[in-house]
């Protein structure tokens, strides 16, 4: 199977549709919450990310003959490190379709995210991973990710959230 990896153009209808399809599949996956986001929500994602402005998406398509199927995505958000005084990239969503896992596609997506982050002068990549998602943790470790610590005595950082009403 051949894979095409590219930066999404949020204004390209084919890319917007691929993003919507993959976001719905990711949210339906147990590691994405287990319940698909509404179709209308997913269809608005590309425009919302474009409007936000500090985002980019890496898409992967499986190509077999004339057929192209969207099979993976990394939605990335630009943030800022006050410790290094440079931007950083948070990989907010990361998904590979189940029938494409184990083929090295996730590593290729991470390579493209790192390439784009480097081109933007970023200091680091960050991401969240569920502690029971052992395959993802192994992948991220192989790629060079590790739990975040400022100093060993302070312990590893935890990712917390609070919804605003």
């Amino acid at each position: 199977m051949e894979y095409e990896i590219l930066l999404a153009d949020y204004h390209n209808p084919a890319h917007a549709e691929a993003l919507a399809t993959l976001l719905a599949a990711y949210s339906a996956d147990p590691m994405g919450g287990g319940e698909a986001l509404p179709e209308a929500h997913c269809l608005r994602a590309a425009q919302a990310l474009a409007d936000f402005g500090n985002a980019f998406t890496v898409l992967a398509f499986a190509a077999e003959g004339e057929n192209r199927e969207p099979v993976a995505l990394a939605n990335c958000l630009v943030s800022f490190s006050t410790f290094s005084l440079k931007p950083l990239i948070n990989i907010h969503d990361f998904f590979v379709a189940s029938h494409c896992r184990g083929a090295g596609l996730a590593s290729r997506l991470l390579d493209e995210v790192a390439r784009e982050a480097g081109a933007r002068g970023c200091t680091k990549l960050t991401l969240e991973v569920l502690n029971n998602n052992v395959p993802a943790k192994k992948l991220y470790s192989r790629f060079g990710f590790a739990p975040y610590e400022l100093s060993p005595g302070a312990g590893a950082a935890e990712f917390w959230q609070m919804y605003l009403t």
Side-chain angles (χ1 to χ4, degrees):
M1 178 83 53
E2 293 288 323
Y3 296 106
E4 177 187 12
I5 312 286
L6 56 85
L7 282 176
D9 173 354
Y10 295 134
H11 302 292
N12 177 323
H15 293 186
E17 183 179 332
L19 194 158
T21 297
L22 291 164
L23 187 58
Y26 174 47
S27 61
D29 188 89
M31 294 302 166
E35 186 174 327
L37 291 166
E39 181 181 10
H41 174 95
C42 294
L43 290 171
R44 288 193 311 268
Q47 188 60 55
L49 287 164
D51 291 347
F52 178 66
N54 285 325
F56 67 89
T57 298
V58 177
L59 294 171
F61 292 88
E64 205 169 308
E66 302 261 333
N67 297 331
R68 288 178 73 223
E69 173 193 7
V71 294
L73 92 158
N75 284 326
C76 303
L77 306 176
V78 180
S79 189
F80 191 79
S81 169
T82 55
F83 280 33
S84 65
L85 300 178
K86 292 182 178 181
L88 64 88
I89 298 297
N90 175 258
I91 302 171
H92 186 71
D93 301 314
F94 192 84
F95 175 73
V96 175
S98 60
H99 66 282
C100 295
R101 294 176 188 162
L105 187 53
S107 292
R108 291 185 56 198
L109 237 59
L110 289 172
D111 283 338
E112 183 61 19
V113 170
R115 188 206 59 73
E116 181 64 18
R120 291 171 180 244
C122 294
T123 187
K124 67 179 176 179
L125 301 176
T126 65
L127 54 75
E128 302 86 44
V129 60
L130 298 173
N131 63 353
N132 288 337
N133 192 344
V134 175
K137 289 170 74 172
K138 286 180 181 179
L139 165 74
Y140 299 145
S141 291
R142 280 194 312 270
F143 200 80
F145 286 92
Y148 168 65
E149 289 183 339
L150 289 175
S151 63
E158 296 178 2
F159 184 76
W160 291 24
Q161 70 178 6
M162 179 187 90
Y163 285 102
L164 301 175
T165 57

